[in-house]
Amino acid sequence: MSNTATENEHDPLIPHGHQQTGRVGDRIFRGFASGAGIFVLVIMGAIGAFLIWKSIPSLQADSTNFFTTTEWFPDDNPAVFGIAALLFGTVISATIAMVLAVPVGIGIALFIAFYAPRPVASTLAFITDLLAAVPSIIFGLWGLAVLMPNMQGTAQWLNDYLGWIPIFDNTLGIYSKSLFIAGVVLAIMVLPTVSAVTREVFIQVPSEHVEGALALGATRWEMVRMAVFPFSLPGMISAAMLGLGRALGETIAVALILSAAFTINWHITEPGGNSFAANIALKWNEAGPIGLSALIASGLVLFLITLVVNMLARWIVSRRKDFSGAN
Amino acid sequence: MTVISPEPTRSPESRSISESLAGKKLPRWAPLATAVAAVVIGYGIGAAGSIFGLAWFVVAALLFLIGQTAWSFAVEGRRHAIDRLATTLIYTCFIVALAPLLSVLLSVITKGAGVVFTDFPSFFTETMRNVSPRKPGGGVAHAIVGTIEEVAISAVIAVPIGIMAAVYLVEYGRGRMAKWVSFFVDVMTGVPSIVAGLFIYTFWILVLGFDRSGFAAALSLVILMIPVIVRTTEEMLKIVPNDLREASYALGIPKWKTIVRIVLPTALSGIITGVMLAVARVAGETAPLLLTTFLSQSMNWNPFSGPQAALPTFVWDQISNGTDASVARAWGGAFVLILFVMIFYIGARLLARVFAPKAR
Amino acid sequence: MAKRIDVSDLDIYYSKFLAVEGVTFSVEPRTVTAFIGPSGCGKSTVLRTLNRMHEVIPGAYVNGKVLLDGENIYDSDVDPVNVRRTIGMVFQRPNPFPTMSIYDNVIAGIKLERTKGVKRDRASMDAVVEKSLRGANLWEEVKDRLSRPGSGLSGGQQQRLCIARAIAVEPQVLLMDEPCSALDPISTLAIEDLIEDLKERYTIVIVTHNMQQAARVSSTTAFFNLAGIGQPGRMVEMGPTAKIFSTPTEKATEDYVSGRFG
Ligand SMILES: Nc1ncnc2c1ncn2[C@@H]1O[C@H](COP(=O)(O)OP(=O)(O)O)[C@@H](O)[C@H]1O
Ligand SMILES: [Mg+2]
């Protein structure tokens, strides 16, 4: 680890008599602390670097376009594989999750911050946060065994009554293992992220603005629109993007629910679809050397996408205030 | 701009509004009455063959929304109608969020408890060695050992790094470098767990040439743990009053001793909360384990050599088998896993609440 | 258009905590009434019950009557939204909506109401904005930058913007909770002049910790005090400002106005 304790100015808070013993200890301790801080940067850099390094063999071996191919035969000779289908499935399932989770998450946050009876509000917040503690493997199992049979009717209804919208049209008559169901499970999984971060932002709305709106004769909803939403907009966008980052990178639940297929199928209620993360988990143990490298390459793309999404989210909100979302 | 007289001129309309305080209001029983009517009509429509193929309770919910909004619009006016609609929708969001939580917990309990507690405690003491996927029996002993060892190792590595990074950010961090560290700690929270697994695989197994092991899995969990610990510790250190630090400096105690002896102990309960939250988060991770240690059916006490089972990968494995007996075992494993995670999670939250700083 | 207020036997609670007990008083239309008293004795609390802003705080409620021209604003069929529209409020800290322009801040209240027959076209809005800003003595200072954010103004200007926002909805009564305490002396003078103008048209109740200010702007003054340590606040006495400051009936009032405590 590199040592950054070089810019060690005199600390005016340390009295002179103790400089002898204090200085050395301080320098060492400070070195450890900075080292730990820099370790975070090093890790983030190393993730990128090692993934790039180890994806090179497969990218060189690929006989087709890595970005537009919808097949995955990296261990064939010549190797044929690309991420188009993965990108499609990842983006579509995450989009479905966002469409469902963002409004509901904002609703929950509003409920807890402004609507719920005060004595129980923090308990209700705790209960909704419990969703965040449920491991994704359990969401996957539940989605597969409990939710999927119950979503059949909804998917069929979408086909029967909204089938004229191409994405809801189901040409197979089979409604299970679809991107739609994966999206619904993802929505439930990112809901606590979206609602917890949004709630933090709502709580920061100064009560002067809330009272200012009410004193003008606004109803509660008008107060929300007048004082809460404009003030919280960056935070809400950021919450949605943090949720999006989660949804894009979720592996196990998606891997369990989708019947992995390397196609781009806009009929989202039909079986099929795939995602970066699910594909890595599913293909990992049957992959040869180039296969592993190809999976690493797809993981690199996923890493970069989530990196951009998360950096944007953090950047938007850091211009206003510190929201961590780490818990 | 029109020239206007200084004397206020009021239109008769606006007077009529602001001079009557009593707004026409729906009676108190209105929501209940609307709800009952909506349920009755919705159920009737459902029994008579439904409209648009909607389930009766969906029809009832829509009838309630429309009915209440229309009634309110007619009596109370547009603004109150919208307010009521928004209120109803916001309450609905909350209920909608509770439904999956309840369903998940209920399913895990109803489907898992049976498996776990038949022949108690064999589910906790046996492994899957020589157990046929088609037959009931076997247990999660090897998975529990794997999970505990892996999580413990990752905590041993991640906790000091996380705490020291937080110390850096709060006590030393100034300028550009601290900003970058702080920013990337946040970004690191968003690193997908499978990417953490991929990284450890490339770094530890491909490049350094080690075998798959519980330790490799623990390393991937370290990456997921660090940001959680840094953030919670940082929040805690920030609320340690500055007076405390200054009082210590005034006694001539060097900065590092002040931090170790005074600042960190003051923030201890918060730091423990953070560690417990981090443990709860990583104990349920499946994806990185699949890449770095894979599955195992038998007991492997040694985390440094060979594949090791863990609770999440146990569940994954049993689901993949697909037989009735295996899926039942998967629910059993899920039950044990959720118990493990919830103990840490709820424990952390309770601790946080008990020791919460009163200033808020 | 200004209305009178009659408060009788009002007990004000924050959850279980009785903050103010047994307040009874009347406010005549088109007068300025000042509330004075040591801090924590319930001046703001009483003020906020006059337009039902008190109940916005979770768990807060009142017992008693507040009549606005004879109509009890706490009657069960009264809509608090109408009450607050009729009785405007200006807060201690200026609170223009930070994401809105000066223009939008002024019309924020009117935009809520969409009454049949009242034109809400650009020209009539412009007229309301000009009238309200002139009413708040702010027009000349901001007329060239109406589309700039309200938060860019100085503290005193922001407070006058809040007054403009409050009078734009043409209320009957204006409540002001220490409107000058966050302002410099010049801005304070500007607000005091404004109150002088506004009392021609509105019933005004103002909380102030500044006794000179109470003496300057008000015709009636009410003195609040705690009944004792750990006891609820109460109104000690109320009367013409001149009398309260020269020959009050109560000893406590005399001590307070002569600066002997508080
Ligand atoms: N939001 C609140 N919740 C609970 N108690 C409050 C609240 N606001 C004020 N109080 C209490 O009510 C009493 C009167 O406060 P306040 O009306 O603000 O006094 P003043 O304006 O005269 O300084 C005080 O004891 C104060 O602690
Ligand atoms: Mg006050």
Side-chain angles (χ1 to χ4, degrees), chain C residues 44 92 177-178:
Chain C
S44 303
Q92 188 165 354
D177 190 353
E178 304 195 19

Side-chain angles (χ1 to χ4, degrees), chain B residues 288-308:
Chain B
L289 308 193
L290 284 178
L291 308 192
T292 51
T293 177
F294 200 50
L295 310 164
S296 168
Q297 308 300 332
S298 31
M299 181 65 81
N300 174 7
W301 288 96
N302 184 354
F304 296 98
S305 148
Q308 223 181 5

Side-chain angles (χ1 to χ4, degrees), chain A residues 228-248:
Chain A
V228 176
F229 281 166
F231 185 87
S232 321
L233 192 63
M236 286 156 68
I237 294 172
S238 181
M241 298 192 62
L242 291 177
L244 178 63
R246 284 248 150 120
L248 291 169

